[in-house]
Amino acid sequence: MAGTDEREAAFYAIVDSDGRIEPRDDMPEAYRKTLIRQIAQHAHSEIIGMQPEGNWISRAPSLRRKAILLAKVQDEAGHGLYLYAAAETLGVSRDQLLELLHTRRQKYSSIFNYPTLTWADVGAIGWLVDGAAITNQVPLTRCSYGPYARAMVRICKEESFHQRQGFESLLTLTRGSAAQKAMAQDALDRWWYPSLAMFGPPDTGEQVSGGHTEQSMRWGIKRFSNDELRQRFVDMTVPQSEVLGLTIPDPDLRWNDERGHYDFTAPDYDELFRVIKGDGPCNAQRLAHRVAAHTEGAWVREAAAAYAAKQRAKTQTEAA
Amino acid sequence: MKDQYALALGDDALVLAQRLGEWVARAPELEEDVALANIALDLLGQARTLLTHAGELEGAGRDEDALAYWRDDRDFRNVLLVELPNGDFAQTMARQLVFAAYQYELYDRLRASTDATLAAVAGKAVKEVHYHRDHATQWVLRLGDGTDESRRRMVAGLDTVWPYVDELFDDGGNPGPALVAEGVAVDPATLREPWTAYVGTVLAEAGLEPPAGAAPRGGGRRGLHTEHLGYLLAEMQHLHRTHPGATW
């Protein structure tokens, strides 16, 4: 039996050589716990994220858009399933994780606490929210934990597809009537800063988070800081907004030749922390909806378990 | 006449897709969110092809969206079964079993339609519906032979949907004998026997009885609906109608 130091050295040897940690490998307990938290919260975000878009399935303005939206929300449930499965390789169960979500002991992305007030919001979520998610998640395809990295490869492919569909939906609006274009601009006005806030608190300053970043980088879970990713997202998104003919709601947004990046106004981090703590526009509604679906479905899950047990008993009797 | 037949089958699929879409993010488990969205998406795909075909046959320039969004409930031709509210999961599964078993027999025969588009839709859809029927079957078995509560709810779900079964096989003159004689349409009366055999086997295995006694309801094929359809259409059509002529 190898000693703690040797096992830790073996772990860091894999991480430092850009290898993959697999479920049966030794890993520091803190690494395991951090990954469980991060993957679970990622899974929860997919599940809660079905609600704001699902809100428009019944009202989608063409059958083609309705089909695209249904397929997208179905994909999100599928992403949730992959991610819960990845988390389960770390020794927790999906039921435990859902319980943590339902009792507010684990979080989900702040963005899904904003309401979808018009059809254009569905396009804006595809373009901006999925765009921000991809910016965050593409580096995770190289994350040190194998099951998570592999889940992210599959998820990122589908998310890029959704992001293009969202952009195309907004493009159709901006090429449409004055009312449609106004609807698209209003959606951008409301979703811009919440999307920037998806990257988390700034790297420096009094609001910096509890020091997860440095440790996660050492472990090969995180490869870029929040502000680096936010900047990358802004640089990618501004030219797209120009193609759409929409105005980003930031008077101080401009290209900085010296930096080779856009300068922009940071999101309101006080608002971000309020939303993360549960006091955003839809936090109570989103959680109540999720808990209600789970609670009202309990009898169905119990029936499935009882039926499976009866079938097993029957098979055993027949075999005996 | 042919356009009315395609429209009726398209309306069945469209209205049921709308109902199943209501389940998304509300299902008892994530796997069911995926499954119900998947079934809704299949039905919506069928509806789009059938409505497009109906519009072409009609020849008045109406496309799938004109037919879905600009008709009032008196002009919808779906059977009443598909517009019934979701109720609980057992009621939804009772409706799914009844409808998928019907649609399976229908599409299986419609593959031989002399109308090439109807034959092609049926050829693709029969595979989808085979999966829908299996999905509903598995749940009727689990709920019927699960716990006391699930059995009670399954019985109640079947009671709720059963009065709407007869309309599937006697649907008020649409398609009409001429279309059946031409080999375009399937006479729905001929589907009852294989439907009864399939559903009867599932219910027996689940330890359930087909409900008896309630008077059969009908009228959907003639545009005489329940009060539920008006609300479903108000929600579905609202945004499209607010922006006449817009492209989405």
Side-chain angles (χ1 to χ4, degrees):
Chain A
M1 191 80 184
T4 311
D5 290 350
E6 281 171 63
R7 284 185 299 179
E8 198 166 302
F11 169 82
Y12 281 109
I14 294 173
V15 169
D16 293 342
S17 62
D18 212 15
R20 294 285 172 272
I21 304 294
E22 295 299 336
R24 290 170 195 281
D25 293 339
D26 281 323
M27 61 188 90
E29 195 47 32
Y31 174 86
R32 183 191 301 275
K33 282 195 171 142
T34 295
L35 272 171
I36 289 173
R37 195 192 66 238
Q38 184 174 337
I39 300 172
Q41 294 185 171
H42 193 163
H44 300 332
S45 300
E46 297 282 357
I47 299 314
I48 298 286
M50 293 166 72
Q51 290 182 39
E53 291 172 288
N55 185 34
W56 281 91
I57 289 174
S58 66
R59 295 177 289 167
S62 74
L63 297 186
R64 175 170 165 264
R65 292 292 174 198
K66 190 191 290 286
I68 290 171
L69 184 56
L70 259 172
K72 182 180 181 194
V73 178
Q74 183 190 358
D75 280 349
E76 282 159 6
H79 296 171
L81 287 169
Y82 301 158
L83 287 162
Y84 285 122
E88 285 184 328
T89 65
L90 292 159
V92 286
S93 72
R94 195 210 300 184
D95 286 348
Q96 288 173 313
L97 298 176
L98 284 174
E99 174 69 15
L100 293 170
L101 169 66
H102 295 163
T103 52
R104 296 175 53 159
R105 283 175 292 166
Q106 281 185 344
K107 300 187 191 312
Y108 55 87
S109 177
S110 57
I111 195 80
F112 300 120
N113 293 308
Y114 292 86
T116 48
L117 301 178
T118 73
W119 169 252
D121 291 18
V122 173
I125 288 180
W127 174 43
L128 294 174
V129 174
D130 292 358
I134 294 162
T135 308
N136 254 328
Q137 291 170 8
V138 165
L140 289 171
T141 61
R142 294 186 293 122
C143 129
S144 63
Y145 190 59
Y148 193 25
R150 290 188 288 273
M152 291 322 304
V153 171
R154 296 176 66 176
I155 290 172
C156 284
K157 277 184 199 162
E158 292 178 351
E159 296 285 12
S160 323
F161 184 61
H162 298 154
Q163 202 248 350
R164 283 200 298 277
Q165 286 175 326
F167 180 82
E168 192 259 333
S169 174
L170 283 183
L171 190 64
T172 306
L173 294 181
T174 57
R175 299 285 182 273
S177 67
Q180 285 177 302
K181 184 166 183 185
M183 194 191 279
Q185 181 64 54
D186 170 61
L188 173 56
D189 291 347
R190 284 180 290 109
W191 289 91
W192 174 252
Y193 282 112
S195 300
L196 292 189
M198 282 174 72
F199 295 93
D203 298 341
T204 54
E206 57 192 51
Q207 283 167 324
V208 73
S209 67
H212 293 314
T213 297
E214 202 180 329
Q215 182 58 266
S216 289
M217 283 187 164
R218 176 71 192 93
W219 280 334
I221 298 173
K222 199 172 166 90
R223 305 216 171 237
F224 303 98
S225 76
N226 293 352
D227 284 337
E228 283 173 310
L229 292 169
R230 192 171 1 248
Q231 180 73 59
R232 189 177 293 185
F233 173 73
V234 172
D235 291 348
M236 176 187 83
T237 308
V238 174
Q240 294 173 352
S241 73
E242 287 162 4
V243 175
L244 291 170
L246 295 176
T247 308
I248 287 176
D250 178 359
D252 296 326
L253 179 83
R254 59 181 56 84
W255 178 256
N256 182 326
D257 237 346
E258 244 170 73
R259 295 202 305 125
H261 291 292
Y262 284 93
D263 290 335
F264 61 96
T265 307
D268 176 349
Y269 293 112
D270 290 335
E271 176 177 319
L272 172 66
F273 285 109
R274 272 201 311 278
V275 174
I276 289 175
K277 284 185 183 128
D279 199 15
C282 295
N283 295 61
Q285 176 190 333
R286 299 284 185 249
L287 197 63
H289 181 108
R290 175 90 263 289
V291 170
H294 189 74
T295 310
E296 286 163 19
W299 68 272
V300 177
R301 297 188 300 276
E302 285 158 14
Y307 178 78
K310 286 183 197 178
Q311 293 300 306
R312 272 195 305 275
K314 216 180 275 181
T315 314
Q316 281 164 4
T317 314
E318 282 161 12
Chain B
M1 280 315 287
K2 218 170 28 166
D3 62 319
Q4 289 295 306
Y5 184 58
L7 194 64
L9 302 188
D11 284 349
D12 285 351
L14 176 62
V15 172
L16 187 55
Q18 185 75 2
R19 280 294 183 226
L20 293 179
E22 295 169 13
W23 269 106
V24 175
R26 286 175 206 281
E29 43 192 355
L30 292 174
E31 285 81 352
E32 284 307 302
D33 281 312
V34 176
L36 294 170
N38 197 345
I39 295 168
L41 197 52
D42 287 344
L43 289 166
L44 186 56
Q46 295 165 18
R48 293 181 63 193
T49 314
L50 288 163
L51 293 186
T52 299
H53 188 46
E56 286 164 358
L57 290 167
E58 183 192 48
R62 292 203 285 182
D63 63 8
E64 60 179 34
D65 286 338
L67 288 168
Y69 291 98
W70 289 101
R71 279 181 302 146
D72 294 329
D73 65 349
R74 293 285 282 107
D75 296 318
F76 267 72
R77 290 290 175 266
N78 58 282
V79 291
L80 303 184
L81 177 76
V82 295
E83 71 197 44
L84 296 180
N86 286 334
D88 66 7
F89 191 71
Q91 186 175 318
T92 291
M93 285 304 125
R95 189 183 62 197
Q96 280 304 105
L97 178 70
V98 165
F99 188 73
Y102 153 78
Q103 223 187 10
Y104 179 79
E105 302 300 338
L106 169 69
Y107 284 145
D108 186 40
R109 284 156 186 75
L110 202 60
R111 283 189 287 183
S113 173
T114 53
D115 178 290
T117 306
L118 290 178
V121 174
K124 179 170 184 285
V126 74
K127 295 173 205 144
E128 297 166 351
V129 173
H130 186 268
Y131 157 73
H132 305 171
R133 188 179 73 163
D134 183 57
H135 174 261
T137 298
Q138 297 308 319
W139 275 113
V140 170
L141 293 175
R142 287 186 197 116
L143 300 180
D145 191 18
T147 62
D148 288 346
E149 185 182 7
S150 72
R151 183 186 158 77
R152 179 183 64 72
R153 287 178 183 253
M154 196 64 237
V155 168
L158 289 168
D159 285 345
T160 302
V161 306
W162 218 256
Y164 301 91
V165 166
D166 277 12
E167 189 189 11
L168 299 171
F169 308 110
D170 175 13
D171 55 3
N174 183 359
L179 278 191
V180 174
E182 287 168 38
V184 171
V186 175
D187 178 359
T190 63
L191 306 175
R192 187 189 280 271
E193 193 184 311
W195 180 91
T196 305
Y198 183 85
V199 172
T201 305
V202 174
L203 295 186
E205 194 182 333
L208 299 162
E209 299 276 345
R217 316 290 152 118
R221 294 282 190 244
R222 287 174 285 126
L224 297 171
H225 291 277
T226 66
E227 289 181 348
H228 304 300
L229 186 65
Y231 290 93
L232 181 145
L233 295 181
E235 187 173 335
M236 184 174 89
Q237 297 176 337
H238 156 260
L239 177 59
H240 189 96
R241 289 192 180 214
T242 306
H243 300 267
T247 301
W248 302 94

